[in-house]
Amino acid sequence: MSTQNLIYLFVGISFALYIGIAIWTRAGSTKEFYVAGGGVHPIVNGMATAADWMSAASFISMAGLIAFMGYDGSVYLMGWTGGYVMLALLLAPYLRKFGQFTVPDFIGTRYYSKVARTVAVICLIFISFTYIAGQMRGVGIVFSRFLDVSVELGVIIGMCIVFVYAVLGGMKGITYTQVAQYCVLIFAYMVPAFFISMLVTGNPIPQLGLGSTVNDGSGMYVLQKLDSSLQAMGFAEYTSSSKSMIDVFCITAALMIGTAGLPHVIVRFFTVPKASDARRSAGWALIFIALLYTTAPAVAAFARLNFNDTVNQTAYSEAPGWFTNWEKNNLIAFQDKNGDGVMQVASGDAFAGSPEYTGETGQNGERLLANAPNDESANEVYVDRDIMVLANPEIANLPGWVIALVAAGGLAAALSTAAGLLLVISTAVSHDLLKSTFKPNISEKGELLAARVAATCAIVVAGILGIYPPGWVAQVVAFAFGLAAASLFPAIFMGIFSKTMNKEGAIAGMVTGLGFTFLYIAYFKLWNPAANNADNWLFGISPEGIGVIGMVLNFIVAIVVMKMTAPAPAEIGRLVESIRVPRGAGDAHAH
C-alpha cells in the first residue's frame, strides 16, 4: 500500500473516531456543553487536559524551533512545563472549589462587577483568537502536505471538522475526543522518535539517545557532532545561547505565568467532580505531557542532524524525495545563487519572505523563484520551521505507516486545542456576556443555541487568522501567553489570595496589562518590524517576553487603584476565605 493511501487511511480512521465520539457524547444541557456534566474521572481528564495543552505548537512547532534555535529554544520547554506545574498547584484546585463554569464567571463574581466580567471576556477572546490562529495554521500545514492541497484549503477542511465535534458535542464531546486525540498524538510523536534515535545512535530511547554517540564511526556525541557541523556551515554552536539572560528569564516567565492564565486549560479543571480531583488530574496530565516534552529536544537534535546530512552539499538533481514533496507546498525552497546546482545550507536567509515561484525551471531542474536573493548570505535553502517534526520520518527514510501516523498525530494535536479554544470563546459569549450580563432571563435552550452560534462564528474568524497568520505557529502562541500573563493571571491570583482587592483595582489592572502588552507586541511585530532588535527593546526584553512587564504593571496599577477606592464588601472577604478552605465545605458561595 502506498504511503499516500496509508495517510488517507490513518487520517480517515482517526477523523471517523473523533466524529463518532462527538455524536455518541452529544451535549444535551448547558452543563454538559460547558463542563461535560462535571463528572469526568481524573485520569481521563488528565489525558484530555494533556491533549488540550499540547497543541500544534507543542507537536509541530516546538521541536522545529529548538532544531533551529538550539539552546535558546529551551525557553519554550521550561516555560510551558513550569507553567503547567504552577497552574496545577496555585490556581486549579481553588478555581474548582469556587464551582463556576468559566474564568470570567470567577472574575465577575469575585469582583462583584459586570464590567470586570466583560473586561475578562474581552481579554479571554483576545488571547484565544491569538492562540487559535497558530492551531489553524498548523492544521493547514499538515493537510497541505499530506492531502496534497494548498495550506489555505487545508485550513478550511480543518474548520469543517472542528465545527462538527465542537459545535455538536460541546465540552462533553470534546473531552472524550481529546482522550482519543492524546492517544493518537503521543503514539505518533514517540514511534518516529524511537526509530530515529535507534538509527542515529543505536539507542532506542530518545531521551538517552540525545546524550549518546552517533553511530557513524566518528565517536562523537550527538550534540558535539551537531555543534561542529553547524559551525562548519557558519552557524552559531547548537549548544550556545545568543539571547541575553534577562530576555531568557522574561520569555520563560511570560510563558509560565501565561500558562497559568490560559482559559482553555483552566476550564478543564471544572469538569471533575471535586477539588481534590482537580489536583489529581493535574498530576496525571503532567505525566502525559512530560512524555512529549522530554522527547522534544532529542527529536529536534536528530531532525537538524538528518536535515544537514541529507541537504547540505547535495546536488539539487539528487535531492531526497521528501525535499521535493514539501517544495510543492512552498514550505521548503532552493535558490541556486552560484549556479552550481548544489544546495548550500548556511546562516542567514536565502531570500526575503516566503517562496514565490515564477513557474519556470532553471538549468539544473530547480524551480525558479521570483524572490530577490539575499546576497549577503551564502545560504541557498529556505525551510519553514513548522515542517521539521512532520518531515522527520521522511528525512530518516522511515516506513510509510510511520509517516501516516505522524500526519494523524499532527492533526490530533492542532484540532484538540482548536476545539478547546473554540469552546472557551463560545462559552464566554453565550454564558458570560449573554446569560450573566445582558440577558439574564434567557432559557437554557436559547443559551445552548447562542453557544453554538458563537462557536460557528469563532471557527470562521479562526480560519481567516489561520490563512493569514501573524508570524509562524509557536511565535503566535507565545504572544497569546504574554497577553494571558499580563491580563488574566493577576486578576485570578489576587482574586484567590487577596481579600482586599476590589473591582476598580482589578479592572484597571487588566486594562493596563492587556493594553501595554498588546501595543508593545503590535509595535515591533506589525507597525515597525525593522526596529525589532535588542537595541530598541525596553530593558532588552523581546516582544515574546514583554508579558512579564505587563503583569508587573497590572499588579502595581491594581494595588494603587485599590488603595484609592472603596474597599471590597465584607462578603467578598468571606467568599475568598471559603475558596481557600482546603476540604469539606463543598462549592464556595458569596451568600
Side-chain angles (χ1 to χ4, degrees):
M1 199 169 180
S2 75
T3 301
Q4 194 58 48
N5 287 341
L6 278 169
I7 290 170
Y8 290 138
L9 180 71
F10 277 45
V11 172
I13 289 172
S14 65
F15 279 179
L17 177 68
Y18 307 152
I19 290 167
I21 290 171
I23 293 166
W24 171 60
T25 56
R26 196 172 167 200
S29 69
T30 48
K31 191 169 185 193
E32 286 187 342
F33 192 89
Y34 295 146
V35 291
V40 180
H41 189 278
I43 296 182
V44 173
N45 196 47
M47 265 195 190
T49 307
D52 207 349
W53 170 244
M54 292 190 293
S55 58
S58 290
F59 188 95
I60 299 172
S61 264
M62 187 171 63
L65 274 176
I66 298 170
F68 284 92
M69 289 171 76
Y71 181 85
D72 284 336
S74 60
V75 295
Y76 290 95
L77 277 174
M78 295 186 297
W80 284 338
T81 320
Y84 189 79
V85 176
M86 189 169 157
L87 172 65
L89 296 177
L90 260 188
L91 303 182
Y94 299 114
L95 288 172
R96 175 65 195 88
K97 185 135 186 11
F98 183 73
Q100 296 284 7
F101 283 153
T102 65
V103 173
D105 239 354
F106 170 76
I107 287 176
T109 310
R110 163 61 185 83
Y111 295 116
Y112 52 96
S113 158
K114 287 187 175 179
V115 177
R117 184 192 295 270
T118 309
V119 172
V121 170
I122 293 165
C123 293
L124 183 145
I125 289 174
F126 220 89
I127 294 158
S128 300
F129 274 129
T130 311
Y131 201 171
I132 212 168
Q135 308 314 314
M136 295 318 270
R137 163 102 175 129
V139 173
I141 285 174
V142 180
F143 272 130
S144 74
R145 162 65 191 91
F146 293 118
L147 302 183
D148 275 338
V149 294
S150 68
V151 174
E152 291 76 18
L153 183 59
V155 171
I156 293 164
I157 297 170
M159 284 160 63
C160 298
I161 288 150
V162 175
F163 172 81
V164 172
Y165 68 79
V167 175
L168 268 185
M171 185 55 109
K172 195 175 177 194
I174 286 173
T175 296
Y176 294 102
T177 310
Q178 282 175 337
V179 171
Q181 284 166 331
Y182 176 76
C183 298
V184 171
L185 83 86
I186 203 70
F187 195 59
Y189 203 84
M190 299 307 289
V191 168
F194 292 142
F195 268 114
I196 294 169
S197 185
M198 190 72 192
L199 283 171
V200 175
T201 66
N203 187 330
I205 298 166
Q207 289 87 336
L208 300 176
L210 184 60
S212 307
T213 51
V214 183
N215 53 5
D216 59 357
S218 66
M220 293 170 89
Y221 287 94
V222 170
L223 292 173
Q224 265 182 326
K225 172 142 192 223
L226 203 45
D227 275 352
S228 67
S229 74
L230 287 174
Q231 275 189 302
M233 295 179 197
F235 290 96
E237 285 186 335
Y238 191 75
T239 52
S240 68
S241 172
S242 63
K243 286 186 184 295
S244 66
M245 183 60 79
I246 178 135
D247 200 26
V248 168
F249 174 80
C250 284
I251 295 175
T252 307
L255 292 172
M256 229 173 122
I257 297 156
T259 300
L262 273 186
H264 71 290
V265 180
I266 291 173
V267 79
R268 288 242 53 99
F269 294 106
F270 297 146
T271 61
V272 290
K274 51 186 191 287
S276 59
D277 291 335
R279 280 193 200 277
R280 213 165 291 135
S281 65
W284 279 107
L286 200 56
I287 292 167
F288 296 134
I289 289 167
L291 268 175
L292 188 145
Y293 269 57
T294 54
T295 311
V299 169
F302 298 148
R304 189 72 190 269
L305 210 50
N306 282 334
F307 175 77
N308 292 349
D309 289 350
T310 54
V311 175
N312 191 38
Q313 302 303 335
T314 301
Y316 180 78
S317 54
E318 291 161 25
W322 68 267
F323 191 97
T324 44
N325 284 342
W326 286 97
E327 203 179 13
K328 286 179 205 154
N329 305 100
N330 299 0
L331 296 169
I332 203 162
F334 164 55
Q335 184 154 50
D336 194 3
K337 292 181 181 178
N338 54 10
D340 64 354
V342 175
M343 298 187 279
Q344 270 97 25
V345 180
S347 67
D349 295 328
F351 47 80
S354 47
E356 293 164 26
Y357 292 105
T358 60
E360 296 163 14
T361 51
Q363 57 188 23
N364 296 299
E366 79 275 13
R367 296 168 69 195
L368 293 179
L369 287 148
N371 305 57
N374 172 10
D375 293 326
E376 291 171 20
S377 160
N379 184 31
E380 298 182 334
V381 178
Y382 162 90
V383 57
D384 187 309
R385 298 166 188 210
D386 291 336
I387 72 171
M388 289 314 285
V389 169
L390 301 171
N392 222 351
E394 294 175 87
I395 298 174
N397 271 329
L398 298 184
W401 67 269
V402 181
I403 295 167
L405 184 63
V406 169
L411 288 170
L415 291 173
S416 62
T417 306
L421 286 161
L422 286 167
L423 191 81
V424 163
I425 294 167
S426 70
T427 308
V429 172
S430 62
H431 182 76
D432 295 315
L433 280 185
L434 265 182
K435 171 98 175 143
S436 305
T437 312
F438 298 116
K439 279 185 82 176
N441 302 326
I442 193 169
S443 67
E444 179 154 330
K445 204 171 178 185
E447 191 183 342
L448 200 53
L449 176 67
R452 289 188 164 133
V453 170
T456 308
C457 298
I459 289 172
V460 174
V461 177
I464 293 164
L465 288 171
I467 292 168
Y468 307 104
W472 71 75
V473 178
Q475 256 201 343
V476 171
V477 172
F479 298 143
F481 283 80
L483 293 169
S487 60
L488 290 178
F489 175 78
I492 298 169
F493 183 82
M494 291 184 291
I496 294 171
F497 295 104
S498 161
K499 285 194 241 179
T500 54
M501 181 47 66
N502 62 9
K503 63 180 179 185
E504 291 84 358
I507 294 166
M510 283 193 285
V511 171
T512 307
L514 184 72
F516 168 78
T517 309
F518 173 72
L519 290 172
Y520 190 89
I521 291 171
Y523 177 76
F524 285 115
K525 289 288 170 179
L526 300 174
W527 302 326
N528 192 2
N532 189 15
N533 58 58
D535 297 337
N536 299 321
W537 295 338
L538 185 67
F539 310 126
I541 300 167
S542 65
E544 287 86 348
I546 199 66
V548 174
I549 305 296
M551 177 198 71
V552 172
L553 284 175
N554 183 332
F555 275 119
I556 292 169
V557 169
I559 291 164
V560 169
V561 172
M562 177 195 77
K563 300 270 188 211
M564 293 160 60
T565 48
E571 68 261 23
I572 293 298
R574 291 196 289 276
L575 170 69
V576 173
E577 237 167 47
S578 73
I579 293 174
R580 300 217 307 260
V581 172
R583 62 181 58 217
D587 286 342
H589 290 291
H591 315 300

